[in-house]
Amino acid sequence: MKCDICPHQCDIPEGGTGLCRARGRRDGEIKNINYGELTSLALDPIEKKPLARFHPGSVILSAGSYGCNLSCPYCQNSVISMAGPENAGTRYFPPEELVGLAEERRDIGNIGIAFTYNEPVTWYDYVMDTAALARGKGLETVLVTNGCIRRGPLERLMPCITAMNIDLKGFSREYYDWVGGDLDAVKGAIEYASMHCHVEITTLIIPGRNDSDEMMEAEAAWIAGIDPGIPLHVTRAFPAHRMPDMPRTPLDTIDRMAEIAAGHLKYVYKGNC
């Protein structure tokens, strides 16, 4: 029995989980074993997602669970994204409770719910149920995602989502092989989502891996071919996870990447600087 949410299409045995550690086979069905299990909950500035051109100056209730369908060796949030049910440390929030919490905080500027911190694609069933309920209450719904999702599940989810920040981790298949992802799936997600909701893109710059002028030139030109008005966040990375000795991304590298991207795109932002 295969999971159909992301390009890995894990073949999961009864009682087991997929690569993401968050979707498993129970009683002959593939389901979220992390359904409603929150590891993280905070009221964040919308710019932290990062979204620079979607309700700027507002705040959004941000929720995360555990699990990810990639295996980036430099993961900046590995404590939860690389965790499983045995070590995540969670509290159960049914969709109604999370939406109710978001509504209660409207009086202090909350605009909705962001599914973030870990990969929301691995939390798909809960995201779908909660986002649909939130939209019915007039709340904004934000997905902060790596974009490694198959077209069918994305199409089903899209009517419930009003904004997305999608990681475009690098612009070569070799880079995506390194992080355990699928570049074509991510490009397809960006193209499709940009026709249906507000989209911004983040590229975390890893020294020696995706910091060449040629790669950023190709990436920015491709994004501009969809819409030069799509904002791009060029973001600094720090040593983490399996790369504790990785140097911090030099600030002049971020400046150079942003300058190249600005040759194609209207809105380029430098992150973690």
Side-chain angles (χ1 to χ4, degrees):
M1 182 174 288
K2 289 186 178 181
C3 177
D4 68 349
I5 297 298
C6 89
H8 292 298
Q9 292 187 274
C10 295
D11 194 351
I12 305 176
E14 181 63 36
T17 61
L19 178 147
C20 68
R21 300 167 298 281
R23 295 182 64 79
R25 182 176 173 182
R26 303 292 185 271
D27 301 321
E29 295 183 18
I30 303 295
K31 57 182 71 175
N32 275 135
I33 60 174
N34 63 345
Y35 188 98
E37 298 293 343
L38 270 64
T39 60
S40 314
L41 189 63
L43 198 61
D44 286 336
I46 193 72
E47 289 82 4
K48 189 180 175 183
K49 298 305 98 190
L51 290 172
R53 305 190 67 80
F54 183 77
H55 298 283
S58 64
V59 294
I60 191 162
L61 186 66
S62 301
S65 183
Y66 62 82
C68 184
N69 57 347
L70 298 189
S71 54
C72 304
Y74 53 82
C75 180
Q76 306 285 287
N77 207 16
S78 61
V79 171
I80 60 171
S81 66
M82 298 299 154
E86 70 287 347
N87 61 351
T90 63
R91 179 189 157 187
Y92 180 67
F93 277 77
E96 296 79 9
E97 185 175 356
L98 188 59
V99 171
L101 203 59
E103 286 192 289
E104 289 171 9
R105 279 146 182 78
R106 273 177 154 158
D107 61 348
I108 55 173
N110 179 45
I111 62 169
I113 299 174
F115 303 95
T116 180
Y117 303 135
N118 76 304
E119 176 48 55
V121 166
T122 69
W123 211 17
Y124 183 87
D125 302 332
Y126 182 78
V127 170
M128 174 77 84
D129 292 346
T130 307
L133 186 59
R135 292 301 299 139
K137 303 288 186 179
L139 294 164
E140 303 289 359
T141 49
V142 172
L143 211 64
V144 182
T145 176
N146 61 35
C148 278
I149 184 172
R150 298 182 72 221
R151 175 57 62 87
L154 179 62
E155 289 179 357
R156 294 193 295 273
L157 182 61
M158 207 69 255
C160 303
I161 301 299
T162 56
M164 297 175 72
N165 184 289
I166 302 175
D167 284 343
L168 184 52
K169 293 183 178 292
F171 208 66
S172 72
R173 286 183 174 82
E174 291 77 15
Y175 191 90
Y176 268 88
D177 287 343
W178 182 52
V179 300
D182 186 318
L183 176 59
D184 288 338
V186 179
K187 290 168 70 176
I190 291 170
E191 290 170 331
Y192 184 79
S194 66
M195 296 187 290
H196 297 277
C197 74
H198 178 86
V199 168
E200 302 192 17
I201 295 170
T202 294
T203 299
L204 187 71
I205 303 300
I206 307 300
R209 290 287 185 167
N210 62 349
D211 57 353
S212 72
D213 294 2
E214 294 77 13
M215 186 176 287
M216 180 52 68
E217 189 83 44
E219 175 182 321
W222 178 80
I223 297 169
I226 301 171
D227 180 355
I230 294 176
L232 174 64
H233 301 261
V234 180
T235 304
R236 193 181 188 203
F238 295 86
H241 194 34
R242 299 197 306 273
M243 297 181 68
D245 299 322
M246 180 185 77
R248 297 179 180 186
T249 312
L251 291 173
D252 60 353
T253 299
I254 297 297
D255 291 340
R256 191 180 81 249
M257 296 290 99
E259 183 178 357
I260 292 169
H264 298 273
L265 301 168
K266 295 179 182 178
Y267 309 111
V268 179
Y269 300 91
K270 292 181 279 188
N272 289 347
C273 295

